[in-house]
Amino acid sequence: MSNKKVIVIGAGPAGLAAAYQLMKNNVQVVVFEASPFVGGMSRSFDLWGQRVDLGPHRFFSKDPRINAFFDELIKEDFTQVERLTRIFYNKNFFDYPLKIFNVLGNLSLITITGILYYYAKQRVFPIKNPDTFEKWVTNRFGKKLYTIFFKYYTEKLWGIPCSKIDADWAAQRIKGLSLFEAVWSAFKGNRGNKHKTLVDEFSYPKNGTGTLYERAAEYVIENGGIIHKNTPIQNIVIEDGVCTGVITKDGKQYSADHVISSMPLTYLLHGMNDVPEEVLKSVNRLYFRNTILVYLEIDRKDLFEDNWIYVHSPEVKHGRITNFRNWCPSLNRGKETTILCLEFWAFDSDPIWKETDQYLGDLAIKELKALKLIEETEVIENTKIVRVPKCYPVYEIGYRSHLDIIENYLMGINKLTPIGRYGAFKYNNQDHSILMGILAAENIVNNTHVDLWKINTDTEYQEDGEVKDVLIQ
């Protein structure tokens, strides 16, 4: 073990990937996690004699470092899940990825004509420099298709109009996908999909996605590292422009040669002293969206075949449904019931965030019946509510200028590395966060200078297994 000591804040995908990589290189690691659990938003837990995740989490990457992290920890304890997802809209289910005859069967000739008309119109008269999600998607797919397949779901998720969401989110999430590509893929039966959004198979640990992080945590501890759970960080210690440690909420101070932070970026800055007023103003303009997960145990095992369903229909409040019976048989542990998870999204100030568990459970059941996914007489055996605060960094128009100010300030502080969805204010998938953690550790071990701020969601390095244009010159 080297004399170098690193503190990692947060035991989610990014933090544990960093801790694991550091321990492999004999660096002393101390992890501080505010919650009682490891895995962050990708954790798994036992529920009613079965195993579930915090919503749907799939693992897919062509990056060899990410795949090595998965392979080393999971080994043979995984299965390949055939993805089946659909979109619910206007009382119909649309296969996703698209299947041409399914689309034609669900839409009227007038609607199809409208889609083609608006798409052609957009090709002839494109929006120059589309700066919002609404403009970006309309430019790419046409107004009609934007309304059907993007508008309502996106506004449920983010809680603000699509006209106020920065185009960055569209560019990250559906980069390279076009109407032509989607339709052509549908004609081919979706064989050979290259776009990540359309991938129809993924690796999944047999005991839930959280197994990956439970084993990473076990490795850290077994090799001499320390993980403190239920230990939130109150302050970051900065001395002469160098991060030298942290102070926990109970007032204890811990020193380190380097600090890697995956705590919410806003919390990180508010935990520092003498932050310039301009930076604090930018910090206060960034905000997150919360998730409410409603789990229902239903006395039937053949409700529907989907892994998860995107609910675009505006007449219900939830936006996604996960069916854990259709992921991996080992999750069900021999039980004949089905566990569904409905996702509602909210800000701290939204009334639904403050509602009782009873209200939320009743609402979920009511909405499932409205979609006719369960019968009116269905037996609901159990209900559980899990509230997950600050899940999604909101890309409201103007966020980028505020984030630039914060990034420039933090880059002036030595020995401090923010990473992950929370820590870097990036809408990462778990595999993106894993890569940020691995690269953060490699920077420390090898004394390299990969600029993690330039690693973004669903850019080319995800697909090609390369990190392009991120080295500081």
Side-chain angles (χ1 to χ4, degrees):
M1 189 72 67
S2 73
N3 292 324
K4 190 178 292 184
K5 179 180 177 181
V6 176
I7 286 174
V8 177
I9 304 173
L16 283 175
Y20 175 78
Q21 193 71 15
L22 288 166
M23 292 300 301
K24 282 176 61 179
N25 286 276
N26 297 315
V27 176
Q28 299 178 55
V29 174
V30 180
V31 180
F32 292 93
E33 167 57 41
S35 78
F37 316 105
V38 300
M41 283 187 63
S42 296
R43 74 178 177 94
S44 302
F45 60 97
D46 294 328
L47 184 63
W48 307 316
Q50 300 187 51
R51 189 78 167 163
V52 297
D53 298 336
L54 292 181
H57 294 280
R58 64 189 175 110
F59 185 95
F60 174 81
S61 178
K62 292 182 180 179
D63 189 291
R65 289 157 296 196
I66 301 174
N67 288 325
F69 177 78
F70 184 91
D71 293 341
E72 289 168 12
L73 291 168
I74 299 300
K75 298 180 173 61
E76 301 300 321
D77 296 334
F78 74 96
T79 185
Q80 289 298 118
V81 176
E82 292 187 8
R83 168 178 166 164
L84 175 61
T85 58
R86 288 183 293 175
I87 294 170
F88 183 87
Y89 174 78
N90 196 26
K91 300 181 180 179
N92 287 308
F93 287 95
F94 294 82
D95 293 325
Y96 186 78
L98 297 175
K99 295 180 181 176
I100 195 67
F101 293 110
N102 170 258
V103 172
L104 294 175
N106 282 337
L107 297 177
S108 68
L109 182 59
I110 293 175
T111 301
I112 293 171
T113 302
I115 289 172
L116 295 175
Y117 168 76
Y118 283 107
Y119 177 72
K121 180 181 178 181
Q122 214 63 50
R123 296 294 89 196
V124 176
F125 303 105
I127 301 170
K128 294 182 179 180
N129 302 316
D131 59 348
T132 70
F133 179 89
E134 180 178 74
K135 291 178 182 178
W136 194 98
V137 176
T138 298
N139 233 18
R140 187 64 62 96
F141 297 97
K143 184 177 180 180
K144 190 72 173 179
L145 205 60
Y146 154 74
T147 302
I148 294 174
F149 288 125
F150 294 94
K151 175 179 169 61
Y152 299 116
Y153 178 85
T154 302
E155 291 184 351
K156 283 184 194 182
L157 174 60
W158 297 112
I160 58 177
C162 290
S163 59
K164 292 187 177 181
I165 300 172
D166 197 285
D168 277 4
W169 186 65
Q172 289 176 15
R173 276 314 207 196
I174 48 182
K175 176 179 167 49
L177 182 63
S178 66
L179 178 61
F180 175 80
E181 179 184 350
V183 171
W184 179 244
S185 179
F187 271 115
K188 294 190 300 179
N190 298 300
R191 294 185 299 272
N193 280 323
K194 294 182 179 180
H195 194 275
K196 188 168 183 177
T197 307
L198 304 180
V199 170
D200 56 7
E201 188 177 79
F202 57 92
S203 300
Y204 184 77
K206 291 180 180 179
N207 201 37
T209 193
T211 308
L212 187 59
Y213 309 105
E214 292 164 7
R215 292 187 178 181
E218 289 168 4
Y219 180 90
V220 169
I221 294 170
E222 288 170 359
N223 287 275
I226 300 171
I227 297 180
H228 295 285
K229 299 177 186 176
N230 294 307
T231 310
I233 297 300
Q234 186 73 34
N235 296 102
I236 309 298
V237 181
I238 310 294
E239 298 177 357
D240 299 323
V242 179
C243 183
T244 60
V246 300
I247 300 174
T248 56
K249 196 170 184 178
D250 59 8
K252 295 180 181 178
Q253 184 165 338
Y254 297 82
S255 299
D257 299 297
H258 201 109
V259 174
I260 297 175
S261 172
S262 65
M263 70 192 293
L265 186 63
T266 50
Y267 286 7
L268 177 73
L269 271 295
H270 282 301
M272 296 180 182
N273 295 325
D274 302 321
V275 177
E277 186 65 27
E278 178 193 23
V279 176
L280 287 178
K281 285 181 179 179
S282 290
V283 170
N284 292 332
R285 294 296 298 273
L286 299 182
Y287 59 101
F288 293 82
R289 185 86 160 148
N290 306 330
T291 297
I292 301 170
L293 301 172
V294 181
Y295 293 87
L296 303 172
E297 184 182 19
I298 300 173
D299 190 19
R300 190 147 59 94
K301 65 177 184 178
D302 58 349
L303 291 172
F304 50 86
E305 295 180 331
D306 307 70
N307 308 114
W308 67 89
I309 295 172
Y310 298 105
V311 183
H312 290 218
S313 186
E315 63 264 25
V316 295
K317 293 182 179 180
H318 73 278
R320 189 164 57 180
I321 308 168
T322 306
N323 185 341
F324 287 104
R325 174 154 290 277
N326 300 330
W327 283 65
C328 180
S330 55
L331 293 183
N332 311 132
R333 295 179 176 173
K335 293 200 69 174
E336 298 295 306
T337 56
T338 294
I339 297 180
L340 300 182
C341 176
L342 280 71
E343 293 178 62
F344 299 81
W345 299 296
F347 294 119
D348 291 345
S349 59
D350 290 343
I352 193 171
W353 182 246
K354 303 169 186 175
E355 287 288 358
T356 64
D357 288 2
Q358 182 68 50
Y359 173 89
L360 293 168
D362 291 345
L363 176 63
I365 295 167
K366 177 183 176 182
E367 294 194 348
L368 278 178
K369 291 179 177 178
L371 300 182
K372 301 189 183 303
L373 286 176
I374 62 173
E375 304 292 338
E376 287 290 334
T377 57
E378 206 78 66
V379 177
I380 311 298
E381 295 196 346
N382 286 294
T383 304
K384 180 179 178 61
I385 314 300
V386 177
R387 292 171 174 83
V388 187
K390 292 180 171 52
C391 297
Y392 298 96
V394 180
Y395 284 18
E396 186 175 357
I397 289 177
Y399 91 99
R400 185 67 252 180
S401 61
H402 299 299
L403 193 55
D404 285 343
I405 291 171
I406 295 168
E407 288 178 9
N408 289 334
Y409 174 70
L410 290 176
M411 287 180 72
I413 299 175
N414 292 326
K415 309 300 182 180
L416 175 64
T417 304
I419 59 171
R421 178 183 285 203
Y422 296 164
F425 203 83
K426 294 180 184 295
Y427 187 23
N428 288 347
N429 288 329
Q430 62 172 327
D431 40 330
H432 311 139
S433 291
I434 289 168
L435 183 59
M436 291 188 82
I438 291 171
L439 292 175
E442 289 181 354
N443 273 350
I444 294 171
V445 171
N446 301 324
N447 196 29
T448 51
H449 300 283
V450 174
D451 184 358
L452 303 184
W453 291 110
K454 291 185 178 179
I455 295 179
N456 219 324
T457 308
D458 285 339
T459 46
E460 292 301 320
Y461 76 89
Q462 248 73 49
E463 298 302 310
D464 298 340
E466 299 178 7
V467 178
K468 299 179 178 178
D469 301 323
V470 296
L471 291 178
I472 297 175
Q473 302 299 324

